Amino acid sequence: METTSRVGAQAPAAEGGQQVPSARRTVDGYLLAPFPWYGLDEAFTGPRWLMQVGMAADDAVEHGSIGHGDEPSVRNEGTEDKEKFAVVVTVAGNPARRTADGTGLLEATSVSSAAWLAGVGLLSFTWPGQMDHTLRDDWLEQQTETAWVLADDLAGDDWSTLSLPVDGVPTPFHYRESEFGWVLAGSTQAGVHVGAYGRGMSAYGLGFAMIKDIAAYA
């Protein structure tokens, strides 16, 4: 699934590679989506923050992420055990379709799309101990490929089934744990796929709900 992230929906990088506070992120990209966004339900009372949206080759918003809890940072390994966060990824339920100019074909999205995006998202906030910057690039490439292989085999032994509420309805999710955190993915009755990843927060007590007003996150 080839998508590109748009800066308009992502925090600009500050000096030294750090991102500016989420309060300065914009909701504009999220408002362009023709599908509903999902986050943790009202049982979660902690901070919520915008992350970024992904665009398909025809410039349509195809997916995006909402963070919950502590904003994680890969720069400080010492915080990894202390940070408690969960990120919910919403993926549009699109069939295979041609690009707007008719010259190409866009891949269909699926639960595997959500699982892959969640897996890669978790990796983006993971910095294995005793690893320098140059080695991490190679590690990240290898782990990203592994995340794709795992997402493409949701019936495999690496995944278990977990039932969690979505808009109050018990919904089956594919779930896996690793030393870096957990990843899950499933589909909703609203026609979108939902992925999630996190660390420091148990996935077993989570519930998901449609966000009524994404503009409130701005």
Side-chain angles (χ1 to χ4, degrees):
M1 191 175 79
E2 296 183 4
T3 58
T4 56
S5 298
R6 289 301 168 91
V7 176
Q10 183 180 25
E15 185 176 355
Q18 298 295 320
Q19 289 188 327
V20 298
S22 60
R24 290 176 56 186
R25 298 175 190 174
T26 173
V27 74
D28 292 353
Y30 293 86
L31 294 174
L32 295 174
F35 55 86
W37 295 104
Y38 273 78
L40 296 186
D41 61 20
E42 60 185 10
F44 176 79
T45 58
R48 299 170 183 248
W49 29 279
L50 298 177
M51 296 184 70
Q52 64 185 31
V53 299
M55 314 289 273
D58 62 355
D59 288 334
V61 177
E62 194 164 68
H63 62 83
S65 303
I66 305 291
H68 305 75
D70 301 324
E71 293 198 48
S73 169
V74 297
R75 293 298 178 187
N76 185 355
E77 292 182 66
T79 65
E80 286 191 4
D81 292 334
K82 300 177 182 178
E83 293 170 342
K84 297 180 179 181
F85 69 91
V87 174
V88 179
V89 183
T90 306
V91 183
N94 290 329
R97 63 203 189 282
R98 290 204 169 275
T99 55
D101 60 9
T103 60
L105 187 67
L106 298 175
E107 293 182 14
T109 58
S110 65
V111 177
S112 289
S113 305
W116 182 72
L117 288 168
V120 172
L122 179 62
L123 291 174
S124 70
F125 292 116
T126 300
W127 196 295
Q130 310 302 315
M131 182 174 288
D132 62 25
H133 292 250
T134 55
L135 289 177
R136 184 178 184 271
D137 290 340
D138 293 336
W139 174 88
L140 192 57
E141 183 177 351
Q142 294 170 353
Q143 293 297 317
T144 298
E145 177 64 24
T146 299
W148 171 250
V149 172
L150 288 171
D152 201 38
D153 185 24
L154 294 177
D157 294 338
D158 292 291
W159 298 89
S160 59
T161 301
L162 182 63
S163 180
L164 297 172
V166 177
D167 294 324
V169 178
T171 302
F173 283 87
H174 300 277
Y175 174 78
R176 68 177 176 88
E177 293 181 356
S178 73
E179 60 185 300
F180 311 120
W182 51 263
V183 171
L184 58 79
S187 296
T188 76
Q189 294 184 343
V192 299
H193 310 294
V194 170
Y197 61 92
R199 192 159 53 224
M201 293 173 59
S202 172
Y204 288 85
L206 301 182
F208 303 94
M210 188 184 299
I211 297 173
K212 297 179 180 178
D213 182 14
I214 191 67
Y217 284 63

PDB file of all heavy atoms in Angstrom, residues 25 30 38-40 44 46-52 65-72 85-88 197 217:
ATOM      1  N   ARG A  25       0.023  21.078  15.625  1.00  0.00           N
ATOM      2  CA  ARG A  25      -0.335  20.284  14.464  1.00  0.00           C
ATOM      3  C   ARG A  25      -1.705  20.721  13.957  1.00  0.00           C
ATOM      4  O   ARG A  25      -2.523  21.243  14.701  1.00  0.00           O
ATOM      5  CB  ARG A  25      -0.331  18.797  14.829  1.00  0.00           C
ATOM      6  CG  ARG A  25       1.057  18.327  15.263  1.00  0.00           C
ATOM      7  CD  ARG A  25       1.060  16.905  15.751  1.00  0.00           C
ATOM      8  NE  ARG A  25       2.360  16.602  16.370  1.00  0.00           N
ATOM      9  CZ  ARG A  25       2.655  15.482  16.988  1.00  0.00           C
ATOM     10  NH1 ARG A  25       1.760  14.536  17.087  1.00  0.00           N
ATOM     11  NH2 ARG A  25       3.846  15.299  17.523  1.00  0.00           N
ATOM     12  N   TYR A  30      -7.060  15.750   8.206  1.00  0.00           N
ATOM     13  CA  TYR A  30      -8.091  14.854   8.728  1.00  0.00           C
ATOM     14  C   TYR A  30      -9.474  15.251   8.212  1.00  0.00           C
ATOM     15  O   TYR A  30     -10.321  14.401   7.940  1.00  0.00           O
ATOM     16  CB  TYR A  30      -8.084  14.878  10.254  1.00  0.00           C
ATOM     17  CG  TYR A  30      -6.844  14.282  10.878  1.00  0.00           C
ATOM     18  CD1 TYR A  30      -5.708  15.053  11.070  1.00  0.00           C
ATOM     19  CD2 TYR A  30      -6.805  12.958  11.283  1.00  0.00           C
ATOM     20  CE1 TYR A  30      -4.555  14.521  11.641  1.00  0.00           C
ATOM     21  CE2 TYR A  30      -5.666  12.407  11.860  1.00  0.00           C
ATOM     22  CZ  TYR A  30      -4.548  13.193  12.038  1.00  0.00           C
ATOM     23  OH  TYR A  30      -3.408  12.664  12.589  1.00  0.00           O
ATOM     24  N   TYR A  38     -11.379   6.961  13.945  1.00  0.00           N
ATOM     25  CA  TYR A  38     -11.583   6.210  15.176  1.00  0.00           C
ATOM     26  C   TYR A  38     -10.465   6.496  16.173  1.00  0.00           C
ATOM     27  O   TYR A  38      -9.322   6.801  15.802  1.00  0.00           O
ATOM     28  CB  TYR A  38     -11.635   4.702  14.895  1.00  0.00           C
ATOM     29  CG  TYR A  38     -13.019   4.236  14.543  1.00  0.00           C
ATOM     30  CD1 TYR A  38     -13.545   4.451  13.274  1.00  0.00           C
ATOM     31  CD2 TYR A  38     -13.838   3.631  15.497  1.00  0.00           C
ATOM     32  CE1 TYR A  38     -14.831   4.059  12.947  1.00  0.00           C
ATOM     33  CE2 TYR A  38     -15.128   3.237  15.183  1.00  0.00           C
ATOM     34  CZ  TYR A  38     -15.616   3.449  13.911  1.00  0.00           C
ATOM     35  OH  TYR A  38     -16.905   3.068  13.617  1.00  0.00           O
ATOM     36  N   GLY A  39     -10.839   6.435  17.453  1.00  0.00           N
ATOM     37  CA  GLY A  39      -9.884   6.568  18.542  1.00  0.00           C
ATOM     38  C   GLY A  39     -10.326   5.670  19.681  1.00  0.00           C
ATOM     39  O   GLY A  39     -11.280   4.897  19.543  1.00  0.00           O
ATOM     40  N   LEU A  40      -9.645   5.751  20.802  1.00  0.00           N
ATOM     41  CA  LEU A  40     -10.095   5.002  21.968  1.00  0.00           C
ATOM     42  C   LEU A  40     -11.415   5.584  22.451  1.00  0.00           C
ATOM     43  O   LEU A  40     -11.693   6.777  22.285  1.00  0.00           O
ATOM     44  CB  LEU A  40      -9.049   5.082  23.084  1.00  0.00           C
ATOM     45  CG  LEU A  40      -7.690   4.444  22.784  1.00  0.00           C
ATOM     46  CD1 LEU A  40      -6.805   4.478  24.033  1.00  0.00           C
ATOM     47  CD2 LEU A  40      -7.832   3.020  22.271  1.00  0.00           C
ATOM     48  N   PHE A  44     -11.168   5.929  28.035  1.00  0.00           N
ATOM     49  CA  PHE A  44      -9.834   6.509  28.125  1.00  0.00           C
ATOM     50  C   PHE A  44      -9.979   8.005  28.365  1.00  0.00           C
ATOM     51  O   PHE A  44     -10.581   8.722  27.562  1.00  0.00           O
ATOM     52  CB  PHE A  44      -9.037   6.270  26.839  1.00  0.00           C
ATOM     53  CG  PHE A  44      -7.685   6.928  26.848  1.00  0.00           C
ATOM     54  CD1 PHE A  44      -6.618   6.351  27.524  1.00  0.00           C
ATOM     55  CD2 PHE A  44      -7.495   8.139  26.206  1.00  0.00           C
ATOM     56  CE1 PHE A  44      -5.382   6.964  27.561  1.00  0.00           C
ATOM     57  CE2 PHE A  44      -6.261   8.757  26.225  1.00  0.00           C
ATOM     58  CZ  PHE A  44      -5.204   8.165  26.906  1.00  0.00           C
ATOM     59  N   GLY A  46      -7.245  10.107  29.220  1.00  0.00           N
ATOM     60  CA  GLY A  46      -5.967  10.803  29.135  1.00  0.00           C
ATOM     61  C   GLY A  46      -5.860  11.687  27.907  1.00  0.00           C
ATOM     62  O   GLY A  46      -6.832  11.892  27.166  1.00  0.00           O
ATOM     63  N   PRO A  47      -4.657  12.214  27.656  1.00  0.00           N
ATOM     64  CA  PRO A  47      -4.430  13.097  26.504  1.00  0.00           C
ATOM     65  C   PRO A  47      -4.653  12.385  25.176  1.00  0.00           C
ATOM     66  O   PRO A  47      -4.400  11.186  25.049  1.00  0.00           O
ATOM     67  CB  PRO A  47      -2.951  13.503  26.659  1.00  0.00           C
ATOM     68  CG  PRO A  47      -2.603  13.210  28.085  1.00  0.00           C
ATOM     69  CD  PRO A  47      -3.440  12.043  28.477  1.00  0.00           C
ATOM     70  N   ARG A  48      -5.127  13.146  24.196  1.00  0.00           N
ATOM     71  CA  ARG A  48      -5.289  12.652  22.829  1.00  0.00           C
ATOM     72  C   ARG A  48      -4.630  13.664  21.901  1.00  0.00           C
ATOM     73  O   ARG A  48      -4.739  14.867  22.123  1.00  0.00           O
ATOM     74  CB  ARG A  48      -6.776  12.498  22.463  1.00  0.00           C
ATOM     75  CG  ARG A  48      -7.530  11.498  23.361  1.00  0.00           C
ATOM     76  CD  ARG A  48      -9.033  11.560  23.109  1.00  0.00           C
ATOM     77  NE  ARG A  48      -9.766  10.681  23.998  1.00  0.00           N
ATOM     78  CZ  ARG A  48     -10.420   9.579  23.623  1.00  0.00           C
ATOM     79  NH1 ARG A  48     -10.443   9.243  22.340  1.00  0.00           N
ATOM     80  NH2 ARG A  48     -11.051   8.832  24.503  1.00  0.00           N
ATOM     81  N   TRP A  49      -3.984  13.191  20.842  1.00  0.00           N
ATOM     82  CA  TRP A  49      -3.240  14.110  19.984  1.00  0.00           C
ATOM     83  C   TRP A  49      -3.194  13.619  18.543  1.00  0.00           C
ATOM     84  O   TRP A  49      -3.211  12.426  18.267  1.00  0.00           O
ATOM     85  CB  TRP A  49      -1.815  14.320  20.506  1.00  0.00           C
ATOM     86  CG  TRP A  49      -1.242  13.163  21.264  1.00  0.00           C
ATOM     87  CD1 TRP A  49      -1.478  12.846  22.583  1.00  0.00           C
ATOM     88  CD2 TRP A  49      -0.368  12.146  20.777  1.00  0.00           C
ATOM     89  NE1 TRP A  49      -0.789  11.701  22.924  1.00  0.00           N
ATOM     90  CE2 TRP A  49      -0.089  11.253  21.849  1.00  0.00           C
ATOM     91  CE3 TRP A  49       0.241  11.911  19.536  1.00  0.00           C
ATOM     92  CZ2 TRP A  49       0.741  10.145  21.708  1.00  0.00           C
ATOM     93  CZ3 TRP A  49       1.070  10.806  19.394  1.00  0.00           C
ATOM     94  CH2 TRP A  49       1.316   9.944  20.486  1.00  0.00           C
ATOM     95  N   LEU A  50      -3.179  14.579  17.636  1.00  0.00           N
ATOM     96  CA  LEU A  50      -3.106  14.273  16.217  1.00  0.00           C
ATOM     97  C   LEU A  50      -1.701  13.824  15.845  1.00  0.00           C
ATOM     98  O   LEU A  50      -0.721  14.290  16.423  1.00  0.00           O
ATOM     99  CB  LEU A  50      -3.464  15.506  15.387  1.00  0.00           C
ATOM    100  CG  LEU A  50      -4.880  16.067  15.555  1.00  0.00           C
ATOM    101  CD1 LEU A  50      -5.017  17.327  14.708  1.00  0.00           C
ATOM    102  CD2 LEU A  50      -5.921  15.037  15.137  1.00  0.00           C
ATOM    103  N   MET A  51      -1.606  12.960  14.849  1.00  0.00           N
ATOM    104  CA  MET A  51      -0.302  12.531  14.350  1.00  0.00           C
ATOM    105  C   MET A  51      -0.165  12.941  12.883  1.00  0.00           C
ATOM    106  O   MET A  51       0.245  14.031  12.585  1.00  0.00           O
ATOM    107  CB  MET A  51      -0.120  11.032  14.577  1.00  0.00           C
ATOM    108  CG  MET A  51      -0.096  10.678  16.069  1.00  0.00           C
ATOM    109  SD  MET A  51       0.229   8.938  16.432  1.00  0.00           S
ATOM    110  CE  MET A  51       1.946   8.788  15.961  1.00  0.00           C
ATOM    111  N   GLN A  52      -0.561  12.084  11.947  1.00  0.00           N
ATOM    112  CA  GLN A  52      -0.455  12.450  10.545  1.00  0.00           C
ATOM    113  C   GLN A  52      -1.445  11.650   9.720  1.00  0.00           C
ATOM    114  O   GLN A  52      -1.971  10.640  10.174  1.00  0.00           O
ATOM    115  CB  GLN A  52       0.954  12.188  10.015  1.00  0.00           C
ATOM    116  CG  GLN A  52       1.357  10.717  10.032  1.00  0.00           C
ATOM    117  CD  GLN A  52       2.803  10.523   9.607  1.00  0.00           C
ATOM    118  OE1 GLN A  52       3.653  11.375   9.836  1.00  0.00           O
ATOM    119  NE2 GLN A  52       3.078   9.393   8.971  1.00  0.00           N
ATOM    120  N   SER A  65      -3.594   8.640  11.856  1.00  0.00           N
ATOM    121  CA  SER A  65      -3.375   8.132  13.209  1.00  0.00           C
ATOM    122  C   SER A  65      -3.725   9.159  14.269  1.00  0.00           C
ATOM    123  O   SER A  65      -3.508  10.361  14.084  1.00  0.00           O
ATOM    124  CB  SER A  65      -1.902   7.725  13.384  1.00  0.00           C
ATOM    125  OG  SER A  65      -1.530   6.765  12.411  1.00  0.00           O
ATOM    126  N   ILE A  66      -4.248   8.664  15.388  1.00  0.00           N
ATOM    127  CA  ILE A  66      -4.563   9.473  16.562  1.00  0.00           C
ATOM    128  C   ILE A  66      -3.835   8.865  17.753  1.00  0.00           C
ATOM    129  O   ILE A  66      -3.944   7.662  18.014  1.00  0.00           O
ATOM    130  CB  ILE A  66      -6.077   9.489  16.862  1.00  0.00           C
ATOM    131  CG1 ILE A  66      -6.871   9.945  15.630  1.00  0.00           C
ATOM    132  CG2 ILE A  66      -6.369  10.379  18.073  1.00  0.00           C
ATOM    133  CD1 ILE A  66      -6.694  11.384  15.263  1.00  0.00           C
ATOM    134  N   GLY A  67      -3.075   9.684  18.480  1.00  0.00           N
ATOM    135  CA  GLY A  67      -2.326   9.192  19.626  1.00  0.00           C
ATOM    136  C   GLY A  67      -3.081   9.374  20.932  1.00  0.00           C
ATOM    137  O   GLY A  67      -3.901  10.280  21.071  1.00  0.00           O
ATOM    138  N   HIS A  68      -2.785   8.503  21.879  1.00  0.00           N
ATOM    139  CA  HIS A  68      -3.419   8.549  23.202  1.00  0.00           C
ATOM    140  C   HIS A  68      -2.359   8.284  24.264  1.00  0.00           C
ATOM    141  O   HIS A  68      -1.548   7.372  24.129  1.00  0.00           O
ATOM    142  CB  HIS A  68      -4.507   7.477  23.318  1.00  0.00           C
ATOM    143  CG  HIS A  68      -5.550   7.548  22.244  1.00  0.00           C
ATOM    144  ND1 HIS A  68      -5.295   7.127  20.944  1.00  0.00           N
ATOM    145  CD2 HIS A  68      -6.837   7.971  22.264  1.00  0.00           C
ATOM    146  CE1 HIS A  68      -6.405   7.308  20.222  1.00  0.00           C
ATOM    147  NE2 HIS A  68      -7.342   7.801  21.002  1.00  0.00           N
ATOM    148  N   GLY A  69      -2.383   9.102  25.324  1.00  0.00           N
ATOM    149  CA  GLY A  69      -1.436   8.910  26.417  1.00  0.00           C
ATOM    150  C   GLY A  69      -0.200   9.758  26.262  1.00  0.00           C
ATOM    151  O   GLY A  69      -0.263  10.904  25.804  1.00  0.00           O
ATOM    152  N   ASP A  70       0.959   9.192  26.617  1.00  0.00           N
ATOM    153  CA  ASP A  70       2.227   9.918  26.519  1.00  0.00           C
ATOM    154  C   ASP A  70       2.676   9.962  25.064  1.00  0.00           C
ATOM    155  O   ASP A  70       2.558   8.982  24.336  1.00  0.00           O
ATOM    156  CB  ASP A  70       3.319   9.219  27.337  1.00  0.00           C
ATOM    157  CG  ASP A  70       2.962   9.106  28.811  1.00  0.00           C
ATOM    158  OD1 ASP A  70       2.334  10.038  29.339  1.00  0.00           O
ATOM    159  OD2 ASP A  70       3.314   8.078  29.424  1.00  0.00           O
ATOM    160  N   GLU A  71       3.210  11.094  24.628  1.00  0.00           N
ATOM    161  CA  GLU A  71       3.771  11.169  23.282  1.00  0.00           C
ATOM    162  C   GLU A  71       5.145  10.515  23.304  1.00  0.00           C
ATOM    163  O   GLU A  71       6.061  10.995  23.961  1.00  0.00           O
ATOM    164  CB  GLU A  71       3.868  12.617  22.819  1.00  0.00           C
ATOM    165  CG  GLU A  71       2.517  13.274  22.611  1.00  0.00           C
ATOM    166  CD  GLU A  71       2.602  14.528  21.765  1.00  0.00           C
ATOM    167  OE1 GLU A  71       3.244  14.483  20.694  1.00  0.00           O
ATOM    168  OE2 GLU A  71       2.057  15.547  22.185  1.00  0.00           O
ATOM    169  N   PRO A  72       5.312   9.400  22.595  1.00  0.00           N
ATOM    170  CA  PRO A  72       6.575   8.665  22.648  1.00  0.00           C
ATOM    171  C   PRO A  72       7.684   9.348  21.864  1.00  0.00           C
ATOM    172  O   PRO A  72       7.429  10.117  20.935  1.00  0.00           O
ATOM    173  CB  PRO A  72       6.216   7.316  22.017  1.00  0.00           C
ATOM    174  CG  PRO A  72       5.108   7.653  21.072  1.00  0.00           C
ATOM    175  CD  PRO A  72       4.313   8.745  21.740  1.00  0.00           C
ATOM    176  N   PHE A  85       1.454   4.620  25.936  1.00  0.00           N
ATOM    177  CA  PHE A  85       0.723   5.209  24.823  1.00  0.00           C
ATOM    178  C   PHE A  85       0.037   4.141  23.993  1.00  0.00           C
ATOM    179  O   PHE A  85       0.412   2.965  24.013  1.00  0.00           O
ATOM    180  CB  PHE A  85       1.660   6.030  23.931  1.00  0.00           C
ATOM    181  CG  PHE A  85       2.660   5.202  23.161  1.00  0.00           C
ATOM    182  CD1 PHE A  85       2.372   4.738  21.885  1.00  0.00           C
ATOM    183  CD2 PHE A  85       3.896   4.875  23.716  1.00  0.00           C
ATOM    184  CE1 PHE A  85       3.283   3.966  21.180  1.00  0.00           C
ATOM    185  CE2 PHE A  85       4.821   4.108  23.019  1.00  0.00           C
ATOM    186  CZ  PHE A  85       4.512   3.655  21.741  1.00  0.00           C
ATOM    187  N   ALA A  86      -0.994   4.578  23.287  1.00  0.00           N
ATOM    188  CA  ALA A  86      -1.678   3.736  22.299  1.00  0.00           C
ATOM    189  C   ALA A  86      -2.028   4.635  21.120  1.00  0.00           C
ATOM    190  O   ALA A  86      -2.519   5.754  21.306  1.00  0.00           O
ATOM    191  CB  ALA A  86      -2.943   3.115  22.882  1.00  0.00           C
ATOM    192  N   VAL A  87      -1.752   4.168  19.928  1.00  0.00           N
ATOM    193  CA  VAL A  87      -2.051   4.915  18.707  1.00  0.00           C
ATOM    194  C   VAL A  87      -3.073   4.124  17.898  1.00  0.00           C
ATOM    195  O   VAL A  87      -2.915   2.920  17.690  1.00  0.00           O
ATOM    196  CB  VAL A  87      -0.777   5.145  17.871  1.00  0.00           C
ATOM    197  CG1 VAL A  87      -1.122   5.787  16.527  1.00  0.00           C
ATOM    198  CG2 VAL A  87       0.215   6.016  18.641  1.00  0.00           C
ATOM    199  N   VAL A  88      -4.127   4.807  17.478  1.00  0.00           N
ATOM    200  CA  VAL A  88      -5.179   4.175  16.679  1.00  0.00           C
ATOM    201  C   VAL A  88      -5.050   4.650  15.239  1.00  0.00           C
ATOM    202  O   VAL A  88      -5.012   5.855  14.970  1.00  0.00           O
ATOM    203  CB  VAL A  88      -6.580   4.515  17.232  1.00  0.00           C
ATOM    204  CG1 VAL A  88      -7.661   3.868  16.358  1.00  0.00           C
ATOM    205  CG2 VAL A  88      -6.709   4.045  18.672  1.00  0.00           C
ATOM    206  N   TYR A 197      -1.449   0.273  17.914  1.00  0.00           N
ATOM    207  CA  TYR A 197      -0.205  -0.209  18.494  1.00  0.00           C
ATOM    208  C   TYR A 197       0.072   0.588  19.763  1.00  0.00           C
ATOM    209  O   TYR A 197      -0.451   1.698  19.949  1.00  0.00           O
ATOM    210  CB  TYR A 197       0.961  -0.086  17.512  1.00  0.00           C
ATOM    211  CG  TYR A 197       1.285   1.321  17.047  1.00  0.00           C
ATOM    212  CD1 TYR A 197       2.228   2.106  17.714  1.00  0.00           C
ATOM    213  CD2 TYR A 197       0.676   1.864  15.908  1.00  0.00           C
ATOM    214  CE1 TYR A 197       2.547   3.383  17.273  1.00  0.00           C
ATOM    215  CE2 TYR A 197       0.989   3.135  15.461  1.00  0.00           C
ATOM    216  CZ  TYR A 197       1.926   3.887  16.137  1.00  0.00           C
ATOM    217  OH  TYR A 197       2.241   5.155  15.697  1.00  0.00           O
ATOM    218  N   TYR A 217      -9.836  18.211  18.038  1.00  0.00           N
ATOM    219  CA  TYR A 217      -8.459  17.849  18.354  1.00  0.00           C
ATOM    220  C   TYR A 217      -7.481  18.962  17.954  1.00  0.00           C
ATOM    221  O   TYR A 217      -6.308  18.887  18.291  1.00  0.00           O
ATOM    222  CB  TYR A 217      -8.069  16.560  17.639  1.00  0.00           C
ATOM    223  CG  TYR A 217      -8.637  15.307  18.254  1.00  0.00           C
ATOM    224  CD1 TYR A 217     -10.007  15.087  18.312  1.00  0.00           C
ATOM    225  CD2 TYR A 217      -7.804  14.341  18.782  1.00  0.00           C
ATOM    226  CE1 TYR A 217     -10.522  13.930  18.872  1.00  0.00           C
ATOM    227  CE2 TYR A 217      -8.301  13.187  19.336  1.00  0.00           C
ATOM    228  CZ  TYR A 217      -9.674  12.991  19.387  1.00  0.00           C
ATOM    229  OH  TYR A 217     -10.185  11.847  19.950  1.00  0.00           O
TER     230      TYR A 217
END
